[in-house]
Amino acid sequence: MNIDVFNGDADGICALLQLRLAFPKESVLVTGVKRDIGLLSRVCAEAGDQIVVLDISLDKNRLALCELLNKGVSIFYMDHHYSGEIPVHQGLTSLISTDANVCTSLLMNIYLKQRFAEWAVTGAFGDNLDASAREAAKLLNLTAQELLKLQQLGIAINYNAYGTSIDDLYFAPDELYRQLEGFISPFDFIRDKAEICQQLFNGYNEDMSLAAQVDAEYQTDSISVVILPDEKWARRVSGVWGNQLANQYPDRAHAIVSNNQRGGYQISVRAPINNKVGADVLCALFSGGGRKAAAGINHIPYQQLTNFVAAFQSQYQ
């Protein structure tokens, strides 16, 4: 049995699209909302099964990973989040880089020797790695308008992944992947699945316009903290709104705080674009995780928000 385990955001989806275009296989899909990263614990596999894991932290899946390897499962693991010590096992092949300017889609692009670079560029744009996306696109000789289309699609796919549960999303990530599956070029998908693109674009634009009306709760020259209302649109927009603010104010770190329906907050953190460090370290203090440039906290009690803001200020002062 083949099992594909991937983050439900643009990076995870676009990485898997590239891999399965190069190596088509029928597979079971295991994914979820952006914050659902402990995905390997949901996998049921036996000796001889093959698992691909894309764009989720090895460190957050270490126990399940080791259990699967010890059962004789073969695992191919590609990621760009903090991994901790990588297990040495004959059943594990890993390609992991925590460089702040790469994502899993770009790692896959290198692995596949740029065979499906348009999807890699789309995933990188979705992960808010605009400079890296444009660098990877140089060999494609795209027009400015074509590059903009890939950027818009990447942002829209990424936007769809944010929410406390699948009910918050327009499309379940596995459903969206199946819609994208098989398209050699994102431009073919944009043309042939225009209704899906339009639904995502419209939802994104409407939610972003609502987010733009929310003032920062706390702001200095170095950090900004925005608390969004307890609404579906706010949970959907938390990540992409942080990306937009990071691009708009590249010398400032941003924290987007939203309710998680567990009696507390979830927080998306973006390091300054001009200083892509520290987001993972900061979020780890509150049992979160991620990467140097962008990380998150799934749950923090309401009363601990002031502690977070103090640590946030200290990290980026």
Side-chain angles (χ1 to χ4, degrees):
M1 180 168 62
N2 299 304
I3 304 171
D4 291 334
V5 183
F6 59 103
N7 197 309
D9 69 357
D11 191 27
I13 288 175
C14 290
L16 183 58
L17 288 171
Q18 294 174 76
L19 183 66
R20 288 294 164 240
L21 284 169
F23 304 104
K25 287 183 179 180
E26 290 293 323
S27 64
V28 174
L29 302 181
V30 179
T31 187
V33 298
K34 168 74 175 178
R35 296 300 183 92
D36 190 358
I37 58 172
L39 295 174
L40 274 183
S41 63
R42 290 166 38 189
V43 172
C44 294
E46 302 298 334
D49 290 342
Q50 296 184 324
I51 300 177
V52 168
V53 187
L54 301 173
D55 198 37
I56 57 172
S57 166
L58 187 153
D59 192 56
K60 297 293 185 182
N61 289 271
R62 185 178 304 277
L63 179 60
L65 172 66
C66 292
E67 289 176 348
L68 289 165
L69 289 171
N70 290 336
K71 290 171 68 174
V73 177
S74 296
I75 299 178
F76 176 83
Y77 209 118
M78 182 180 287
D79 185 42
H80 66 130
H81 301 91
Y82 174 76
S83 64
E85 184 177 352
I86 299 173
V88 177
H89 193 286
Q90 63 181 6
L92 175 65
T93 300
S94 62
L95 293 171
I96 295 175
S97 171
T98 58
D99 187 301
N101 295 306
V102 302
C103 60
T104 311
S105 289
L106 293 176
L107 292 174
M108 187 65 74
N109 189 44
I110 296 169
Y111 178 70
L112 298 177
K113 297 179 170 59
Q114 292 81 40
R115 287 180 62 185
F116 307 101
E118 290 175 351
W119 281 119
V121 170
T122 303
F125 273 130
D127 229 28
N128 202 40
L129 295 176
D130 288 12
S132 298
R134 294 180 190 281
E135 184 65 28
K138 284 182 177 178
L139 294 176
L140 299 174
N141 295 318
L142 300 175
T143 66
Q145 186 63 30
E146 287 171 332
L147 198 60
L148 178 60
K149 286 184 178 181
L150 296 187
Q151 183 179 30
Q152 290 173 332
L153 180 62
I155 290 172
I157 295 172
N158 202 58
Y159 153 78
N160 181 73
Y162 281 88
T164 300
S165 67
I166 298 295
D167 289 341
D168 288 338
L169 312 183
Y170 283 101
F171 298 94
D174 56 346
E175 177 190 351
L176 183 56
Y177 171 80
R178 291 300 189 195
Q179 293 290 342
L180 293 155
E181 188 179 28
F183 284 98
I184 293 176
S185 168
F187 297 113
D188 296 335
F189 173 79
I190 292 169
R191 182 192 64 231
D192 294 349
K193 298 284 187 174
E195 71 285 356
I196 293 176
C197 292
Q198 202 58 54
Q199 186 173 356
L200 289 176
F201 294 158
N202 288 345
Y204 170 81
N205 289 329
E206 290 169 6
D207 288 355
M208 291 292 273
S209 67
L210 292 171
Q213 299 173 34
V214 180
D215 293 329
E217 187 76 13
Y218 178 79
Q219 187 168 289
T220 68
D221 290 340
S222 59
I223 68 166
S224 176
V225 178
V226 177
I227 301 178
L228 297 176
D230 188 9
E231 302 284 351
K232 275 190 174 184
W233 70 263
R235 295 190 290 274
R236 285 195 299 264
V237 84
S238 60
V240 288
W241 183 238
N243 289 343
Q244 177 160 313
L245 290 175
N247 292 326
Q248 190 173 354
Y249 304 99
D251 293 317
R252 183 182 290 161
H254 299 271
I256 309 300
V257 181
S258 52
N259 288 268
N260 63 10
Q261 298 183 317
R262 290 169 53 192
Y265 291 121
Q266 68 177 27
I267 305 177
S268 290
V269 175
R270 299 294 180 267
I273 292 291
N274 292 336
N275 183 30
K276 294 179 181 179
V277 297
D280 53 347
V281 175
L282 171 69
C283 290
L285 297 175
F286 299 89
S287 301
R291 49 194 173 90
K292 297 174 184 178
I297 300 166
N298 284 344
H299 176 70
I300 183 171
Y302 294 129
Q303 62 270 24
Q304 285 192 24
L305 183 61
T306 54
N307 294 338
F308 166 80
V309 173
F312 189 36
Q313 177 71 71
S314 177
Q315 180 69 48
Y316 293 107
Q317 64 186 358

